[in-house]
Amino acid sequence: MVTVRLLSIVGLVGMPRQGDDKPPGLKSGREQPDRGDARITQTEFLVDGCRVREALLNVEEIAPELKRKLVRPDGSLNPALFCVIEGQPAKQVYMDTPLGPDSVLLVAPVITGG
């Protein structure tokens, strides 16, 4: 099983918050307080998947509220997100990147400033 960790900042991706009902396959969910009103939420899923795309589609099946928020209809990653596998830089992670049975896939919103 692959562990997929979804990070959300101030509910950007719409992850369930601590205490919300957890869908089947949800490993854990917790909020970490930040400065001011900002929240960082980490939600963890255990899913099957030998590639990034397959794992993310399986998360969308477990948590229907995430449908089309992770993977676009054309099969690409939502451009508002980036992925890291085992600390590998996001530029090197593609939707067809293979995952091992104990891989940890981190998905987080792209943070920009100006």
Side-chain angles (χ1 to χ4, degrees):
M1 298 290 270
V2 174
T3 299
V4 178
R5 290 186 182 139
L6 304 177
L7 297 183
S8 176
I9 300 174
V10 193
L12 181 66
V13 181
M15 259 44 82
R17 290 187 291 262
Q18 185 173 359
D20 289 351
D21 290 335
K22 295 178 183 170
L26 180 63
K27 186 175 174 186
S28 66
R30 65 178 180 267
E31 288 187 22
Q32 300 172 353
D34 199 357
R35 295 181 196 164
D37 292 351
R39 284 190 322 269
I40 299 172
T41 302
Q42 176 177 299
T43 306
E44 211 168 89
F45 295 87
L46 286 176
V47 295
D48 290 321
C50 59
R51 303 210 178 269
V52 170
R53 180 180 295 109
E54 184 181 356
L56 294 178
L57 288 171
N58 286 337
V59 167
E60 288 184 346
E61 289 300 315
I62 291 170
E65 68 275 12
L66 296 177
K67 194 73 168 176
R68 300 203 190 275
K69 291 186 179 183
L70 303 176
V71 181
R72 296 182 348 179
D74 67 1
S76 63
L77 181 67
N78 179 334
L81 302 172
F82 71 94
C83 294
V84 176
I85 301 171
E86 309 297 340
Q88 184 177 5
K91 291 180 183 177
Q92 298 173 11
V93 175
Y94 301 100
M95 294 298 275
D96 290 325
T97 299
L99 299 170
D102 297 322
S103 289
V104 175
L105 174 63
L106 173 69
V107 181
V110 173
I111 299 173
T112 61

